Amino acid sequence: MTVKEYMTPNPVTVAPETSVPEAAALMKKGGFRRLPVLQEGELVGIVTDRDLKEAMPSDANALSVWEINYLIARLKVAEIMTEHPVTVADTLCRYRPPRKPCSRPRWAAYPSPTRGNW
């Protein structure tokens, strides 16, 4: 089975200028854990649910709820995304057994930017 047969066709994407709350709402609504970040049709990053969680302030802070909401609303995806994510060709076999133990990467997903797929 190739990556093309397994991947999500026409995935939901965001722009680097998208606000963090907007990206979080998209992820929650669609049940996604990651969103490709595109600028002018080119993949420039990926934002994950973990990136969003890490961008949120801890409970042990001196800010008021209004200050936190104000700061989070101004935060853009470009500031928290992983830039230049590892990608794979859509013709690649979806899974190849590792040659030695622990040689398989720990990433949960690989974007596959093929022409016309974004």
Side-chain angles (χ1 to χ4, degrees), residues 13-15 18-20 23-24 27 32-37 43-53 55 76-83 85:
T13 63
V14 293
T18 305
S19 71
V20 166
M27 290 173 108
F32 311 127
R33 290 185 299 175
R34 38 193 104 63
L35 290 170
V37 182
L43 181 69
V44 294
I46 191 165
V47 65
T48 66
D49 56 351
R50 184 175 179 175
D51 295 329
L52 295 174
K53 288 175 190 167
K76 303 297 179 195
V77 166
E79 298 174 61
I80 66 165
M81 71 181 185
T82 300
E83 294 183 36

Side-chain angles (χ1 to χ4, degrees), residues 98-104:
R99 294 184 182 173
K100 59 182 179 183
C102 301
S103 67
R104 194 169 45 167

Side-chain angles (χ1 to χ4, degrees), residues 6 11 17 21-22 26 41 44-45 50 82-83 92 96 100 108 112:
Y6 188 73
E17 306 82 34
E22 188 178 343
L26 276 172
V44 294
R50 184 175 179 175
T82 300
E83 294 183 36
L92 190 69
R96 269 178 61 192
K100 59 182 179 183
S112 181

Side-chain angles (χ1 to χ4, degrees), residues 46-69:
I46 191 165
V47 65
T48 66
D49 56 351
R50 184 175 179 175
D51 295 329
L52 295 174
K53 288 175 190 167
E54 289 178 357
M56 300 300 163
S58 73
D59 292 337
N61 67 57
L63 299 175
S64 72
V65 173
W66 296 279
E67 290 171 317
I68 291 171
N69 288 337

